[in-house]
């Protein structure tokens, strides 16, 4: 709509049209370029960068390799707390791990 509104100025119609024509042509060109950049170039660039990051992670995985010892590593899994836990200077009983029932105190 903006480009269509600038067409009369770009055609230099009316009084002082020769003076406003270069500005109107620049505005129309800017609108077209910005539309192409935002609708075509940016998504295409994002896709290329996403593919590049996947390729990089795949290559690093091939170079570094996976754990081949046959055992699954649980280094990143949190271990449940055993016994009382000190929170703010008070000993508090640790909650039961997820999926287990806590036994009532005797």
């Amino acid at each position: 709509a903006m480009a269509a509104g600038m067409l009369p100025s770009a055609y230099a119609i009316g009084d002082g049209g020769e003076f406003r024509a270069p500005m109107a042509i620049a505005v129309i060109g800017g609108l077209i370029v910005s539309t192409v950049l935002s609708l075509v170039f940016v998504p295409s660039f994002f896709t290329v960068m996403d593919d590049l990051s996947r390729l990089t992670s795949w290559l690093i995985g091939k170079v570094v390799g996976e754990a081949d010892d046959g055992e699954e590593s649980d280094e990143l899994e949190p271990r449940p707390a055993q016994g009382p836990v000190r929170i703010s200077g008070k000993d508090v009983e640790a909650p039961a791990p997820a999926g287990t029932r806590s036994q009532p105190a005797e």
Side-chain angles (χ1 to χ4, degrees):
M2 178 74 174
M6 295 299 287
L7 281 177
S9 294
Y11 286 136
I13 298 173
D15 294 333
E18 305 85 25
F19 182 70
R20 288 190 220 112
M23 180 213 39
I25 293 170
V27 168
I28 292 170
L31 288 169
I32 292 171
V33 168
S34 65
T35 301
V36 168
L37 285 176
S38 63
L39 295 179
V40 176
F41 181 76
V42 171
S44 300
F45 186 74
F46 178 80
T47 303
V48 168
M49 294 308 292
D50 186 48
D51 292 345
L52 185 63
S53 72
R54 289 178 191 222
L55 176 67
T56 304
S57 64
W58 180 77
L59 287 173
I60 290 173
K62 288 291 184 183
V63 171
V64 173
E66 300 289 328
D68 294 330
D69 56 357
E71 298 178 15
E72 291 189 25
S73 175
D74 61 346
E75 292 179 22
L76 299 178
E77 294 180 19
R79 295 192 173 118
Q82 302 291 327
V85 178
R86 183 167 291 277
I87 299 176
S88 300
K90 299 178 183 176
D91 288 337
V92 179
E93 189 63 32
T100 62
R101 290 186 160 181
S102 60
Q103 300 294 329
E106 294 179 16

